[in-house]
Amino acid sequence: MKYFVPVVLGKTVRAFAKLRGGGSAFPGYVTTKLAPGFLEDVTGQFEYGIVYVLGSNGKSTTTHMLTEVLRGHGLRVFTNPSGANLPQGIASSILAESSVLGRLDADIGVLEVDEAFALEFAATVPPSTVLVLNTQVDQLYRFYETERVADMMLDTAQQARQHIVTNREDPYLSKIARRYPDGDATTAPDISYFGASAELIAGAPHGLFNAKDYRDAAIEPEHHDALAELVATDRAGATIDVAGATIDVTLPAKGLHYAIDAAAALATAAVILGDRFDAASSAAAFAAMKPAYGRGELLDFGNEQVEFVMFKNAASLQLNLDALPEPPEQVLLAIDEGTPDISWIYDIDFAALDHVDVVTGAKAWQIALRLEHEGIAIGAVEPDLKKAIELMRALPKPSTGLKTWIVNYEIMMLARKQIGFLELENQR
């Protein structure tokens, strides 16, 4: 009963927040202030512990994939929406799912966690497993140096009580074993790797876009056997070798980056489940999987559909462009103030586009200038998103019935709402 009053108050605050038309991290703040032990006690109930998912890109998608694979094996999974990956947001998500007595009906928690707050959060909610996806150039206005981000994630990974799963292809993250001298082998968590075949990476227009580790440039790259290795991929799916078993999966969105996220999810599921891991159950989970919020979603737009291609930095934009099978017939491209510094846009290869119908968002004219340098034709520049959507609506129906909107996270949320999809990802 000790959590009854803090939980009821937090749930009441959450109900009022929803009535205002939005989600909020404040309910979690209220509950944890009144009951500092709430998070630790609630998450301590999980038989399989807590999984942290960290990385510059792919956290939401991989969290979604791992959650569905574990559910496909019969586990009850608590997970947080990707818009709630800061401590107070995670607390609010837990609050939403818990009973008034502070109980969660789950066997395991799979949490996307912001890398800047993960180490601090681990002191309250210790992870049993940490999955680290990649280190890519991201939010330098916030983090200053890519090395700093890598160290944040590696420091958090060392808090794992049982398993670390990391990216064999990442120059920073693949060196995690160096943090455990041979004498510490008995106390270290087990370390597993996921990766992609050298042929696949070499065949990608821009590889995996992982950042280079210039601190150790003189040291030969490390080579590790991958528990899960991506061996083939196409527009619809991927073939992944997991501990010698070949699994063909249907991807919820297009691209090499989504395929390697799938390998990461399968490697993590395999170490968590052990002998319970089943290739057929994993493949079935992927076959039934819907795209993560705003990442490859197809949403109705009158008698047409919109495909949302969401990015947040140079790596995610480039990899999404590389995944386009052919230049889209109708394109909206948008970036707003949610991406404060877009100077990296001059490092992007836009060869996958032959035109852009509408450029929008607060950074519209900056994008337009970059596209002009590339020689890409632009139909209209309209910074106002609502007007830009109406310009897209007025275009003749494309032969495929599909419009492609390449947008950053904040624009994606606003655009979904303006075409009639009102739910927010941090609401349930």
Side-chain angles (χ1 to χ4, degrees), residues 41-374:
D41 286 352
V42 172
T43 55
Q45 302 165 16
F46 300 150
E47 178 185 352
Y48 288 83
I50 292 283
V51 183
Y52 281 14
V53 181
L54 310 174
S56 298
N57 282 306
K59 292 189 291 292
S60 300
T61 297
T62 310
T63 298
H64 176 61
M65 289 176 173
L66 177 58
T67 295
E68 294 307 312
V69 170
L70 293 175
R71 285 174 176 163
H73 285 79
L75 268 63
R76 298 167 299 166
V77 183
F78 167 78
T79 188
N80 60 318
S82 62
N85 64 7
L86 300 175
Q88 290 177 15
I90 294 171
S92 290
S93 298
I94 291 173
L95 177 68
E97 296 295 309
S98 72
S99 72
V100 293
L101 298 180
R103 302 289 300 178
L104 267 177
D105 187 23
D107 302 307
I108 189 170
V110 179
L111 303 180
E112 172 188 337
V113 186
D114 184 282
E115 49 269 28
F117 295 92
L119 186 61
E120 175 187 349
F121 191 59
T124 302
V125 180
S128 53
T129 302
V130 176
L131 167 58
V132 196
L133 296 170
N134 47 54
T135 308
Q136 296 171 334
V137 178
D138 182 31
Q139 301 186 68
L140 295 184
Y141 62 89
R142 176 185 178 204
F143 293 129
Y144 314 121
E145 296 290 345
T146 305
E147 293 90 340
R148 185 176 178 221
V149 180
D151 285 337
M152 288 175 181
M153 292 191 284
L154 292 172
D155 289 345
T156 303
Q158 287 189 267
Q159 308 309 306
R161 294 179 170 180
Q162 294 178 308
H163 312 290
I164 296 172
V165 183
T166 192
N167 189 342
R168 180 186 67 185
E169 319 305 341
D170 189 288
Y172 287 104
L173 305 181
S174 62
K175 299 170 184 175
I176 179 91
R178 295 184 190 176
R179 293 190 170 213
Y180 294 96
D182 291 340
D184 294 341
T186 56
T187 58
D190 64 80
I191 301 174
S192 302
Y193 300 87
F194 64 90
S197 72
E199 293 76 17
L200 275 181
I201 297 173
H206 301 91
L208 295 173
F209 227 87
N210 291 327
K212 291 181 171 59
D213 186 353
Y214 293 105
R215 296 176 298 184
D216 289 343
I219 299 176
E220 285 295 314
E222 294 189 0
H223 299 282
H224 301 281
D225 292 332
L227 174 61
E229 180 172 296
L230 176 67
V231 295
T233 187
D234 57 28
R235 289 176 62 176
T239 300
I240 300 169
D241 183 297
V242 183
T246 299
I247 304 178
D248 292 318
V249 301
T250 303
L251 295 175
K254 300 186 293 288
L256 176 62
H257 50 314
Y258 287 110
I260 201 165
D261 288 345
L266 289 173
T268 308
V271 300
I272 292 168
L273 293 165
D275 292 341
R276 288 189 59 186
F277 181 79
D278 179 70
S281 298
S282 300
F286 272 94
M289 198 177 295
K290 296 180 180 179
Y293 178 92
R295 291 130 176 117
E297 277 187 307
L298 294 177
L299 300 180
D300 291 337
F301 187 54
N303 64 346
E304 303 169 317
Q305 285 190 310
V306 170
E307 178 180 22
F308 278 91
V309 179
M310 196 274 288
F311 66 92
K312 67 187 186 75
N313 52 35
S316 58
L317 178 55
Q318 187 65 73
L319 291 169
N320 277 309
L321 290 173
D322 291 349
L324 294 173
E326 59 270 326
E329 194 171 339
Q330 292 185 3
V331 188
L332 176 145
L333 178 58
I335 307 179
D336 75 345
E337 293 294 350
T339 305
D341 176 11
I342 64 166
S343 58
W344 48 259
I345 204 167
Y346 284 87
D347 292 329
I348 300 299
D349 177 4
F350 284 95
L353 303 178
D354 59 10
H355 79 290
V356 173
D357 294 282
V358 180
V359 179
T360 188
K363 310 283 190 179
W365 288 106
Q366 290 169 266
I367 305 171
L369 179 62
R370 172 67 185 97
L371 296 178
E372 183 180 26
H373 279 269
E374 192 85 3

Side-chain angles (χ1 to χ4, degrees), residues 347-414:
D347 292 329
I348 300 299
D349 177 4
F350 284 95
L353 303 178
D354 59 10
H355 79 290
V356 173
D357 294 282
V358 180
V359 179
T360 188
K363 310 283 190 179
W365 288 106
Q366 290 169 266
I367 305 171
L369 179 62
R370 172 67 185 97
L371 296 178
E372 183 180 26
H373 279 269
E374 192 85 3
I376 294 174
I378 300 171
V381 179
E382 174 49 74
D384 184 275
L385 177 62
K386 185 175 181 179
K387 293 178 181 177
I389 289 174
E390 292 310 308
L391 289 174
M392 291 298 293
R393 195 187 302 275
L395 293 175
K397 182 178 180 179
S399 61
T400 60
L402 183 67
K403 299 179 188 291
T404 301
W405 292 4
I406 304 170
V407 294
N408 70 330
Y409 180 82
E410 289 76 13
I411 290 280
M412 179 269 294
M413 293 187 71
L414 291 171

